[in-house]
PDB file of all heavy atoms in Angstrom:
ATOM      1  N   GLY A 179      34.119 -19.072  10.669  1.00  0.00           N
ATOM      2  CA  GLY A 179      35.520 -19.109  11.098  1.00  0.00           C
ATOM      3  C   GLY A 179      35.999 -20.466  11.487  1.00  0.00           C
ATOM      4  O   GLY A 179      37.003 -20.683  12.157  1.00  0.00           O
ATOM      5  N   LEU A 180      35.253 -21.489  11.011  1.00  0.00           N
ATOM      6  CA  LEU A 180      35.638 -22.884  11.293  1.00  0.00           C
ATOM      7  C   LEU A 180      36.667 -23.448  10.390  1.00  0.00           C
ATOM      8  O   LEU A 180      37.491 -24.207  10.767  1.00  0.00           O
ATOM      9  CB  LEU A 180      34.450 -23.809  11.308  1.00  0.00           C
ATOM     10  CG  LEU A 180      33.281 -23.363  12.336  1.00  0.00           C
ATOM     11  CD1 LEU A 180      31.988 -24.234  12.064  1.00  0.00           C
ATOM     12  CD2 LEU A 180      33.761 -23.511  13.677  1.00  0.00           C
ATOM     13  N   ILE A 181      36.671 -22.978   9.069  1.00  0.00           N
ATOM     14  CA  ILE A 181      37.641 -23.417   8.179  1.00  0.00           C
ATOM     15  C   ILE A 181      38.105 -22.264   7.315  1.00  0.00           C
ATOM     16  O   ILE A 181      37.545 -21.204   7.229  1.00  0.00           O
ATOM     17  CB  ILE A 181      37.071 -24.454   7.241  1.00  0.00           C
ATOM     18  CG1 ILE A 181      35.863 -23.929   6.331  1.00  0.00           C
ATOM     19  CG2 ILE A 181      36.542 -25.711   7.984  1.00  0.00           C
ATOM     20  CD1 ILE A 181      35.340 -24.857   5.231  1.00  0.00           C
ATOM     21  N   ALA A 182      39.222 -22.507   6.616  1.00  0.00           N
ATOM     22  CA  ALA A 182      39.676 -21.512   5.629  1.00  0.00           C
ATOM     23  C   ALA A 182      39.423 -22.165   4.267  1.00  0.00           C
ATOM     24  O   ALA A 182      39.905 -23.263   3.971  1.00  0.00           O
ATOM     25  CB  ALA A 182      41.161 -21.245   5.863  1.00  0.00           C
ATOM     26  N   TYR A 183      38.582 -21.457   3.447  1.00  0.00           N
ATOM     27  CA  TYR A 183      38.202 -22.050   2.141  1.00  0.00           C
ATOM     28  C   TYR A 183      38.059 -20.972   1.117  1.00  0.00           C
ATOM     29  O   TYR A 183      37.400 -19.907   1.383  1.00  0.00           O
ATOM     30  CB  TYR A 183      36.856 -22.817   2.407  1.00  0.00           C
ATOM     31  CG  TYR A 183      36.220 -23.291   0.993  1.00  0.00           C
ATOM     32  CD1 TYR A 183      36.911 -24.223   0.308  1.00  0.00           C
ATOM     33  CD2 TYR A 183      35.098 -22.727   0.577  1.00  0.00           C
ATOM     34  CE1 TYR A 183      36.357 -24.620  -0.919  1.00  0.00           C
ATOM     35  CE2 TYR A 183      34.444 -23.218  -0.541  1.00  0.00           C
ATOM     36  CZ  TYR A 183      35.118 -24.175  -1.288  1.00  0.00           C
ATOM     37  OH  TYR A 183      34.533 -24.548  -2.502  1.00  0.00           O
ATOM     38  N   ILE A 184      38.652 -21.216  -0.023  1.00  0.00           N
ATOM     39  CA  ILE A 184      38.477 -20.364  -1.102  1.00  0.00           C
ATOM     40  C   ILE A 184      37.636 -21.096  -2.170  1.00  0.00           C
ATOM     41  O   ILE A 184      37.916 -22.172  -2.637  1.00  0.00           O
ATOM     42  CB  ILE A 184      39.832 -20.030  -1.848  1.00  0.00           C
ATOM     43  CG1 ILE A 184      40.752 -19.319  -0.802  1.00  0.00           C
ATOM     44  CG2 ILE A 184      39.682 -19.175  -3.016  1.00  0.00           C
ATOM     45  CD1 ILE A 184      42.132 -19.066  -1.326  1.00  0.00           C
ATOM     46  N   PRO A 185      36.402 -20.531  -2.523  1.00  0.00           N
ATOM     47  CA  PRO A 185      35.496 -21.137  -3.510  1.00  0.00           C
ATOM     48  C   PRO A 185      36.208 -21.662  -4.708  1.00  0.00           C
ATOM     49  O   PRO A 185      37.010 -20.844  -5.329  1.00  0.00           O
ATOM     50  CB  PRO A 185      34.476 -20.124  -3.752  1.00  0.00           C
ATOM     51  CG  PRO A 185      34.462 -19.337  -2.427  1.00  0.00           C
ATOM     52  CD  PRO A 185      35.829 -19.258  -2.078  1.00  0.00           C
ATOM     53  N   GLY A 186      36.121 -22.833  -5.174  1.00  0.00           N
ATOM     54  CA  GLY A 186      36.767 -23.353  -6.352  1.00  0.00           C
ATOM     55  C   GLY A 186      37.939 -24.198  -6.109  1.00  0.00           C
ATOM     56  O   GLY A 186      38.518 -24.849  -6.933  1.00  0.00           O
ATOM     57  N   GLU A 187      38.496 -24.211  -4.801  1.00  0.00           N
ATOM     58  CA  GLU A 187      39.667 -24.849  -4.466  1.00  0.00           C
ATOM     59  C   GLU A 187      39.231 -26.309  -4.102  1.00  0.00           C
ATOM     60  O   GLU A 187      38.150 -26.575  -3.855  1.00  0.00           O
ATOM     61  CB  GLU A 187      40.330 -24.270  -3.163  1.00  0.00           C
ATOM     62  CG  GLU A 187      40.899 -22.843  -3.456  1.00  0.00           C
ATOM     63  CD  GLU A 187      42.088 -22.899  -4.409  1.00  0.00           C
ATOM     64  OE1 GLU A 187      43.108 -23.614  -4.103  1.00  0.00           O
ATOM     65  OE2 GLU A 187      42.105 -22.319  -5.470  1.00  0.00           O
ATOM     66  N   LYS A 188      40.278 -27.168  -4.236  1.00  0.00           N
ATOM     67  CA  LYS A 188      40.132 -28.598  -3.983  1.00  0.00           C
ATOM     68  C   LYS A 188      40.281 -29.075  -2.530  1.00  0.00           C
ATOM     69  O   LYS A 188      40.232 -30.307  -2.293  1.00  0.00           O
ATOM     70  CB  LYS A 188      40.989 -29.439  -4.883  1.00  0.00           C
ATOM     71  CG  LYS A 188      42.402 -29.328  -4.741  1.00  0.00           C
ATOM     72  CD  LYS A 188      43.146 -30.161  -5.747  1.00  0.00           C
ATOM     73  CE  LYS A 188      44.696 -29.961  -5.472  1.00  0.00           C
ATOM     74  NZ  LYS A 188      45.484 -30.791  -6.492  1.00  0.00           N
ATOM     75  N   GLU A 189      40.526 -28.145  -1.670  1.00  0.00           N
ATOM     76  CA  GLU A 189      40.769 -28.479  -0.280  1.00  0.00           C
ATOM     77  C   GLU A 189      40.454 -27.344   0.609  1.00  0.00           C
ATOM     78  O   GLU A 189      40.311 -26.120   0.075  1.00  0.00           O
ATOM     79  CB  GLU A 189      42.141 -29.053  -0.034  1.00  0.00           C
ATOM     80  CG  GLU A 189      43.211 -28.122  -0.463  1.00  0.00           C
ATOM     81  CD  GLU A 189      44.597 -28.774  -0.297  1.00  0.00           C
ATOM     82  OE1 GLU A 189      44.701 -30.011  -0.262  1.00  0.00           O
ATOM     83  OE2 GLU A 189      45.651 -27.989  -0.236  1.00  0.00           O
ATOM     84  N   PHE A 190      40.354 -27.571   1.925  1.00  0.00           N
ATOM     85  CA  PHE A 190      40.138 -26.483   2.867  1.00  0.00           C
ATOM     86  C   PHE A 190      40.970 -26.755   4.045  1.00  0.00           C
ATOM     87  O   PHE A 190      41.551 -27.932   4.261  1.00  0.00           O
ATOM     88  CB  PHE A 190      38.662 -26.349   3.223  1.00  0.00           C
ATOM     89  CG  PHE A 190      38.105 -27.612   3.788  1.00  0.00           C
ATOM     90  CD1 PHE A 190      38.177 -27.995   5.123  1.00  0.00           C
ATOM     91  CD2 PHE A 190      37.433 -28.549   2.958  1.00  0.00           C
ATOM     92  CE1 PHE A 190      37.676 -29.176   5.534  1.00  0.00           C
ATOM     93  CE2 PHE A 190      36.883 -29.751   3.345  1.00  0.00           C
ATOM     94  CZ  PHE A 190      37.024 -30.074   4.679  1.00  0.00           C
ATOM     95  N   GLN A 191      41.114 -25.810   4.917  1.00  0.00           N
ATOM     96  CA  GLN A 191      41.934 -26.036   6.243  1.00  0.00           C
ATOM     97  C   GLN A 191      41.072 -25.700   7.419  1.00  0.00           C
ATOM     98  O   GLN A 191      40.394 -24.762   7.474  1.00  0.00           O
ATOM     99  CB  GLN A 191      43.068 -25.039   6.166  1.00  0.00           C
ATOM    100  CG  GLN A 191      43.950 -25.074   7.442  1.00  0.00           C
ATOM    101  CD  GLN A 191      45.061 -24.072   7.458  1.00  0.00           C
ATOM    102  OE1 GLN A 191      45.158 -23.255   6.473  1.00  0.00           O
ATOM    103  NE2 GLN A 191      45.770 -24.054   8.511  1.00  0.00           N
ATOM    104  N   ILE A 192      40.961 -26.715   8.296  1.00  0.00           N
ATOM    105  CA  ILE A 192      40.275 -26.549   9.559  1.00  0.00           C
ATOM    106  C   ILE A 192      40.940 -25.645  10.446  1.00  0.00           C
ATOM    107  O   ILE A 192      42.188 -25.776  10.785  1.00  0.00           O
ATOM    108  CB  ILE A 192      40.051 -28.009  10.220  1.00  0.00           C
ATOM    109  CG1 ILE A 192      39.132 -28.820   9.310  1.00  0.00           C
ATOM    110  CG2 ILE A 192      39.369 -27.804  11.555  1.00  0.00           C
ATOM    111  CD1 ILE A 192      38.878 -30.214   9.812  1.00  0.00           C
ATOM    112  N   LEU A 193      40.251 -24.623  10.879  1.00  0.00           N
ATOM    113  CA  LEU A 193      40.889 -23.601  11.761  1.00  0.00           C
ATOM    114  C   LEU A 193      40.605 -23.730  13.236  1.00  0.00           C
ATOM    115  O   LEU A 193      41.360 -23.464  14.118  1.00  0.00           O
ATOM    116  CB  LEU A 193      40.420 -22.172  11.372  1.00  0.00           C
ATOM    117  CG  LEU A 193      40.790 -21.697   9.951  1.00  0.00           C
ATOM    118  CD1 LEU A 193      40.106 -20.384   9.657  1.00  0.00           C
ATOM    119  CD2 LEU A 193      42.290 -21.691   9.767  1.00  0.00           C
ATOM    120  N   ALA A 194      39.401 -24.226  13.543  1.00  0.00           N
ATOM    121  CA  ALA A 194      39.025 -24.461  14.988  1.00  0.00           C
ATOM    122  C   ALA A 194      38.372 -25.806  15.218  1.00  0.00           C
ATOM    123  O   ALA A 194      37.136 -26.017  15.310  1.00  0.00           O
ATOM    124  CB  ALA A 194      38.032 -23.364  15.279  1.00  0.00           C
ATOM    125  N   PRO A 195      39.281 -26.836  15.257  1.00  0.00           N
ATOM    126  CA  PRO A 195      38.686 -28.217  15.372  1.00  0.00           C
ATOM    127  C   PRO A 195      37.933 -28.412  16.737  1.00  0.00           C
ATOM    128  O   PRO A 195      36.919 -29.160  16.757  1.00  0.00           O
ATOM    129  CB  PRO A 195      39.947 -29.089  15.325  1.00  0.00           C
ATOM    130  CG  PRO A 195      41.053 -28.126  15.801  1.00  0.00           C
ATOM    131  CD  PRO A 195      40.650 -26.804  15.137  1.00  0.00           C
TER     132      PRO A 195
END
Side-chain angles (χ1 to χ4, degrees):
L180 300 175
I181 65 172
Y183 170 66
I184 299 175
E187 292 293 303
K188 62 180 180 180
E189 57 187 18
F190 55 86
Q191 179 184 358
I192 295 178
L193 299 177

